[in-house]
Amino acid sequence: MKKVILFSLLATFQLAIAQVSMEGNKLVKEGQTFKLRDYRQAFKNEEASKTFGKARTNATVGQVFAYAGGFAIGFGIIPALSGKKQEVRNGIVYENQPSKGWTVVGIGAGLVGIGIPFAIAANKNAKKAMALENGEPTAFQPHFKLESAGTNLALSYNF
């Protein structure tokens, strides 16, 4: 009996160590750290590898939109806040021209808004890839939830 318990504990400990996890921007498997670009070495499951590849692609696209939007916000906020009421072109003074800086800020905010769903999808795909690699269930699991809605109760169906 003692041997069975010892073997079960040893097997459980080995399974816990062999799983893939993320620590910051690194993948960890069996105590060895991998950079995100080396995910093919960390993942042995082909489907998990493909899913993590999609996560990296989504993260890259999201970062491109976020960086471009951040640059546009930074570039447009200075003229927008300067409150310049006149503009001189070819020696002619134009009074009360609306600031074009707010337009650039709005475009930047839109670009950042486009990048957010990509970042959410990247996180979701990375978690799914690690669950596939570790043998955890990834099936669709809808559930009911009882919530407080102010002074009332609400039953919600989450999927």
Side-chain angles (χ1 to χ4, degrees), residues 11-101:
T12 304
F13 180 71
Q14 183 63 28
L15 285 174
I17 290 178
Q19 292 186 347
V20 176
S21 63
M22 283 192 74
E23 291 180 5
N25 289 336
K26 305 258 186 220
L27 290 170
V28 179
K29 182 177 183 180
E30 298 175 357
Q32 184 178 4
T33 59
F34 297 94
K35 293 183 179 181
L36 292 181
R37 67 173 178 242
D38 300 329
Y39 70 94
R40 289 181 188 94
Q41 296 172 0
F43 291 109
K44 300 301 179 199
N45 185 344
E46 185 65 31
E47 187 177 350
S49 181
K50 286 180 183 177
T51 304
F52 198 78
K54 282 195 325 188
R56 287 191 64 218
T57 302
N58 284 339
T60 302
V61 171
Q63 287 173 357
V64 166
F65 278 113
Y67 289 142
F71 177 78
I73 290 171
F75 186 75
I77 198 80
I78 294 171
L81 294 178
S82 69
K84 193 174 186 183
K85 297 291 185 205
Q86 36 178 283
E87 190 175 327
V88 179
R89 282 188 261 153
N90 299 330
I92 301 171
V93 177
Y94 295 94
E95 296 291 332
N96 298 326
Q97 291 291 320
S99 175
K100 301 207 181 6

Side-chain angles (χ1 to χ4, degrees), residues 6 10 17 24-25 40 55 76 89 94 112 114-117 127 156:
L6 180 64
L10 187 62
I17 290 178
N25 289 336
R40 289 181 188 94
R89 282 188 261 153
Y94 295 94
V112 170
I114 290 171
I116 290 172
K127 286 180 181 178
S156 67

